[in-house]
Amino acid sequence: RIAVLQLKFPTTPKFKSEIINETRIKITRSEEYRVITIINVYAPQSGRLRESSQELDEMYCALNNLYEEFSKGRNLVIMGGDFNAKVGRVKGETCLGRFSRGHRNNSGQMLVEFCEAHDLFITSSAFEHKAAHVTTWESIRRIEGKEIKIFNQIDYIICTKDLKICLKQSRSYKGTNTNTDHRLVITEFDMRNFKIFKSKNKRKKMTKSVDYTQLVNNHQKREDYQEQVRTVIAEESHNSWNTIAESVRKIADEVLSTPKERIKRTHDPEIDVLSKKQKELKLKIYQEKKSAEIDAMKRERKAMFKEIRRIIKRNQENEIDKVLEDIETAQNSGKMFKAVRFL
């Protein structure tokens, strides 16, 4: 059985102004919303699968269709429920964290394959807890007249991999007043810095720059430009000067434009190591209960950020020194102006 719940969260409002006349301006406010879809799953039990093995395939087929439908665009999808699956741990799988444990069954294999196919992450595997906070289902079986307690982890909360940075905690809770043999599973997210709740920043597209030096250095380009400008002036002589100037600018964009070069910045291995360490330390801070340990780890993380800023500043200074050296040794004026524009 699968159930779906959708929540809408407003983002930063946008304002659009429109000039009506010299004394009146119309301002329109528009709201944007982000949608969070929560999919609740109850997978068939192992006893039912012995009778009908196709039931699990049908459930994952339906779940796959639902996920693809609700994850379109910028919508966020979180799944949770009783998957009746033991995922265990296998090296090289990105959907599991360091603290997944146990043996994997067939249902667990299907769940892992589904998560790998859709870049999902099983949240409880990211945190280390004692066994009581890992167990999500307990039962009693009679074997040779003896009652044996069984503890399993078969309930999970699953998020997208880009949401991992927002994870604060994920564990099970015993003692809740519910009429079930399952334990309550709670995952905490810190959504303040997640991109889906920020206003959509339109990235500047790489525009083309007009290289007017081609009018001097490239004979063919100069002739093409002159011919098209003469044609435009002859055809649009009755139009206003602004219209003609716009047409000439379009010709320049088409004939003389060259794509802007991106500034390639190399990754510093020192920054990569420090960044990984501070992320691991962040998770430990969320899990730690002792205030003294938390303060010590916060100071250590602050020192890491300070070191990262120092390395970035050093690399920037080295880049500037290299550009200045290129300017001093440049024989070609084009290369010199390119270096100057970088500064």
Side-chain angles (χ1 to χ4, degrees):
R1 294 190 292 270
I2 301 173
V4 177
L5 171 67
Q6 286 194 309
L7 306 173
K8 291 176 71 175
F9 290 85
T11 60
T12 307
K14 291 186 176 180
F15 295 91
K16 182 181 178 181
S17 61
E18 180 184 353
I19 299 175
I20 298 175
N21 53 41
E22 295 179 354
T23 58
R24 295 178 63 193
I25 298 177
K26 180 182 178 182
I27 298 177
T28 307
R29 173 184 169 129
S30 61
E31 295 280 359
E32 274 194 8
Y33 290 91
R34 302 289 178 267
V35 178
I36 293 184
T37 302
I38 300 173
I39 301 177
N40 182 256
V41 179
Y42 178 56
Q45 300 173 353
S46 56
R48 294 182 61 175
L49 293 177
R50 294 191 193 100
E51 300 174 2
S52 175
S53 59
Q54 293 182 351
E55 191 172 349
L56 190 63
D57 294 332
E58 293 172 357
M59 189 215 76
Y60 274 103
C61 182
L63 185 61
N64 180 73
N65 294 336
L66 275 176
Y67 182 81
E68 289 183 348
E69 178 184 351
F70 291 113
S71 61
K72 292 177 181 178
R74 299 173 64 210
N75 295 339
L76 178 65
V77 178
I78 297 174
M79 293 191 297
D82 179 7
F83 288 88
N84 278 303
K86 294 190 285 186
V87 296
R89 177 164 175 78
V90 176
K91 289 184 178 179
E93 291 174 336
T94 57
C95 68
L96 293 172
R98 295 167 49 200
F99 304 107
S100 179
R101 57 176 123 179
H103 299 284
R104 181 176 298 177
N105 59 10
N106 291 333
S107 298
Q109 182 62 35
M110 290 197 69
L111 176 59
V112 168
E113 289 175 359
F114 177 82
C115 293
E116 289 286 334
H118 293 286
D119 287 332
L120 301 174
F121 184 74
I122 300 174
T123 59
S124 57
S125 64
F127 302 92
E128 185 177 20
H129 292 296
K130 60 182 182 179
H133 296 163
V134 174
T135 300
T136 65
W137 175 79
E138 58 181 302
S139 181
I140 298 176
R141 288 184 185 174
R142 288 185 176 274
I143 301 176
E144 297 179 356
K146 295 181 180 180
E147 289 186 350
I148 298 177
K149 286 189 175 183
I150 297 174
F151 302 93
N152 272 327
Q153 184 184 29
I154 58 175
D155 304 81
Y156 306 98
I157 294 175
I158 301 171
C159 68
T160 54
K161 287 180 183 176
D162 57 354
L163 199 57
K164 283 169 60 177
I165 193 173
C166 302
L167 280 173
K168 289 183 63 179
Q169 188 60 272
S170 183
R171 52 162 286 195
S172 62
Y173 290 83
K174 186 180 179 181
T176 51
N177 188 19
T178 54
N179 186 22
T180 177
D181 52 0
H182 290 261
R183 297 183 183 179
L184 181 66
V185 180
I186 295 179
T187 296
E188 298 178 29
F189 295 94
D190 185 357
M191 305 298 287
R192 288 172 295 181
N193 294 323
F194 189 55
K195 61 185 178 182
I196 203 167
F197 289 99
K198 292 184 178 180
S199 59
K200 186 177 179 181
N201 294 322
K202 294 182 179 178
R203 295 183 61 184
K204 292 182 179 179
K205 296 181 179 179
M206 281 191 64
T207 56
K208 294 181 178 181
S209 61
V210 178
D211 184 10
Y212 289 103
T213 58
Q214 294 185 78
L215 294 174
V216 178
N217 302 326
N218 192 321
H219 178 72
Q220 184 62 43
K221 291 277 187 181
R222 182 171 64 251
E223 286 190 349
D224 292 344
Y225 178 74
Q226 289 175 344
E227 182 63 30
Q228 292 189 39
V229 169
R230 290 193 194 99
T231 303
V232 165
I233 293 175
E235 293 177 352
E236 301 186 7
S237 57
H238 59 283
N239 293 333
S240 65
W241 165 250
N242 290 336
T243 305
I244 297 174
E246 182 62 28
S247 299
V248 171
R249 277 194 290 269
K250 287 181 180 179
I251 293 171
D253 288 337
E254 293 173 2
V255 178
L256 306 176
S257 61
T258 56
K260 284 186 177 180
E261 295 183 7
R262 279 193 187 273
I263 300 171
K264 295 181 180 180
R265 300 191 184 276
T266 56
H267 287 284
D268 193 296
E270 293 181 69
I271 294 178
D272 293 340
V273 171
L274 287 171
S275 179
K276 186 177 179 181
K277 285 183 178 178
Q278 69 87 11
K279 288 178 182 177
E280 292 174 355
L281 203 58
K282 180 183 178 182
L283 291 177
K284 290 181 181 178
I285 290 171
Y286 286 138
Q287 297 176 45
E288 185 59 51
K289 303 298 181 183
K290 298 178 182 178
S291 58
E293 294 291 333
I294 292 174
D295 292 339
M297 286 189 286
K298 283 183 177 179
R299 287 194 296 270
E300 185 181 353
R301 190 163 177 252
K302 186 178 179 181
M304 288 181 183
F305 280 123
K306 186 176 180 181
E307 179 65 15
I308 289 173
R309 287 193 294 270
R310 187 191 67 80
I311 295 172
I312 291 173
K313 185 177 179 181
R314 182 197 65 192
N315 292 345
Q316 288 175 343
E317 290 175 351
N318 290 340
E319 285 184 10
I320 292 172
D321 290 340
K322 186 177 181 305
V323 171
L324 292 174
E325 184 179 346
D326 291 343
I327 292 173
E328 291 177 356
T329 58
Q331 300 294 329
N332 188 322
S333 59
K335 291 182 178 179
M336 184 186 71
F337 285 122
K338 181 180 176 182
V340 171
R341 282 197 298 270
F342 175 80
L343 294 176

